[in-house]
Amino acid sequence: MDPIAALEEIAFLLERDRASAFKSKAFRKAAGIIGDVPAAELAERVRDGRLKRTAGIGDTTFAVIADAVEGRVPAYLVALREKSGPVSGAASTGLRAKVRGDLHSHTDWSDGTTPISTMARAAELVGLDYLVISDHSPNLTIANGLSAERLLDQLDVLDRLNADGGIRLLSGIEVDILLDGSLDQSPEMLDRLDVVVASVHSKLRTESKELTERMLRAVRTPRTNVLGHCTGRLVEGSRGTRPQSTFDAEAVFAACAEHDVAVEINSRPERQDPPDDLIAIALEAGCRFSIDSDAHAPGHFAFLELGAARAEANGVPAERIVNTWPAEQLVEWAAQR
Ligand SMILES: [Zn+2]
Ligand SMILES: [Zn+2]
């Protein structure tokens, strides 16, 4: 087995299982360390003990690499596959199989754990045709949100990666909806991006009328394409739980329908946002939807299965879901705003 593929699959499964990021990072780091070492040289280093003494290679990662080099599926991977189940990709059935892209993902430019290229490879692995890189905006300092300058640098990187081939990368942002409902990036900058996801990340407990006004202003702002995780609730997971925010869902979703802003079905197991009753209101209002992973690590693309299952269970038709469209159609739709 290819040792890099083994290390990356282990990392993917750990991320999907939401194990500590410390663990998955060790495997990704090891993959990076041996990335440029030719196979024969790597085998030599395993045999003569040099690899074991290499900084960044621990006992566990060494055992995985040694197993793979010696032609075995590493024991660690065998055990993890048994516990966690296989990496399923394009073979999925139902609505998930119709999802062609993901409009919401993070990289190590903000609070994601891996470089853009690693996220791109993983998105391809799960069968996507396109991926929007939507790192955080400046206001979210805790997540290392991107200044306009850094975002411009990121656009150059996306151009270079797209020129190299592989999955199509679209530019984007998860822009904070500020307290007054304005967006946390200049209109000129937002204009340069393919897709704009706007989300509330602060003062989630604001009383309903004020929060409704704040969200309405963001939805009406030209360039907003997707309303991200609209209630901000957390239903499980290591960050604990958080109740959903309260706002006038009829009014906000009516504005989404009027301005053709898609309501995000956030696939993260700890978010499951919006709740079922709000999906019903958005459906009734005539909204479009996007099923997004909100991935912060490659393994999180597997969450799309969960988001698609929720959309399906709530009777959201595929034609109302913008990321079932081909990239061209999606980009054209987003540009109309
Ligand atoms: Zn967010
Ligand atoms: Zn996000």
Side-chain angles (χ1 to χ4, degrees):
M1 182 173 195
D2 173 43
I4 294 174
L7 292 165
E8 288 191 334
E9 185 178 337
I10 289 169
F12 186 98
L13 293 175
L14 289 170
E15 289 155 358
R16 185 181 67 180
D17 292 346
R18 290 179 292 157
S20 104
F22 181 74
K23 251 177 151 179
S24 54
K25 274 179 177 171
F27 290 96
R28 294 213 176 269
K29 189 172 171 200
I33 289 168
I34 65 167
D36 297 327
V37 183
E41 166 71 17
L42 184 64
E44 187 62 36
R45 288 190 202 177
V46 168
R47 271 196 302 276
D48 67 16
R50 264 183 297 158
L51 186 71
K52 215 174 175 138
R53 296 192 298 273
T54 304
I57 303 291
D59 290 346
T60 310
T61 47
F62 175 79
V64 167
I65 296 166
D67 276 351
V69 162
E70 284 155 19
R72 295 186 296 272
V73 178
Y76 192 99
L77 178 54
V78 172
L80 195 56
R81 278 179 180 169
E82 249 163 49
K83 176 174 152 264
S84 170
V87 176
S88 61
S92 340
T93 53
L95 188 54
R96 168 63 186 88
K98 294 185 179 152
V99 171
R100 300 185 192 213
D102 190 342
L103 307 193
H104 187 168
S105 71
H106 300 274
T107 73
D108 62 3
W109 285 65
S110 65
D111 60 348
T113 60
T114 65
I116 300 170
S117 56
T118 310
M119 292 298 279
R121 274 207 311 280
E124 208 169 359
L125 183 75
V126 300
L128 297 180
D129 298 335
Y130 57 93
L131 174 65
V132 177
I133 301 296
S134 60
D135 277 309
H136 289 288
S137 65
N139 183 55
L140 216 59
T141 48
I142 192 171
N144 195 21
L146 273 61
S147 64
E149 291 72 25
R150 288 180 66 219
L151 186 49
L152 281 171
D153 288 345
Q154 189 182 63
L155 298 187
D156 289 340
V157 173
L158 293 180
D159 283 345
R160 280 205 297 280
L161 289 169
N162 276 326
D164 289 346
I167 189 173
R168 180 157 173 201
L169 296 170
L170 302 178
S171 60
I173 188 171
E174 182 183 19
V175 65
D176 263 35
I177 299 174
L178 297 172
L179 294 183
D180 65 356
S182 63
L183 302 183
D184 182 34
Q185 190 48 271
S186 69
E188 297 73 34
M189 198 61 232
L190 295 178
D191 265 341
R192 303 182 62 141
L193 304 174
D194 292 317
V195 174
V196 173
V197 178
S199 307
V200 170
H201 286 124
S202 57
K203 299 265 185 207
L204 289 159
R205 292 185 183 220
T206 308
E207 59 86 27
S208 174
K209 190 166 176 296
E210 198 181 327
L211 184 57
T212 302
E213 285 307 315
R214 182 179 170 193
M215 292 171 79
L216 282 175
R217 183 171 171 203
V219 167
R220 289 172 186 143
T221 304
R223 282 315 281 145
T224 299
N225 300 124
V226 177
L227 179 62
H229 52 67
C230 63
T231 81
R233 74 173 182 170
L234 293 175
V235 294
E236 55 143 296
S238 58
R239 284 198 285 166
T241 60
R242 182 165 66 204
Q244 67 193 72
S245 60
T246 52
F247 57 90
D248 182 343
E250 276 89 2
V252 169
F253 294 149
C256 285
E258 184 190 342
H259 297 278
D260 206 359
V261 169
V263 173
E264 176 181 80
I265 295 177
N266 190 292
S267 302
R268 297 190 64 93
E270 72 271 35
R271 287 196 182 273
Q272 303 181 35
D273 201 5
D276 291 348
D277 55 334
L278 292 202
I279 293 179
I281 295 172
L283 256 180
E284 180 67 29
C287 295
R288 296 191 208 270
F289 296 84
S290 66
I291 298 172
D292 298 336
S293 70
D294 197 358
H296 285 67
H300 297 171
F301 289 119
F303 299 158
L304 287 170
E305 299 272 350
L306 307 174
R310 285 199 66 230
E312 210 153 34
N314 281 284
V316 181
E319 57 273 18
R320 294 264 290 269
I321 300 167
V322 296
N323 53 328
T324 63
W325 300 341
E328 291 307 325
Q329 190 182 349
L330 186 276
V331 168
E332 206 171 290
W333 166 77
Q336 282 168 9
R337 289 279 291 150

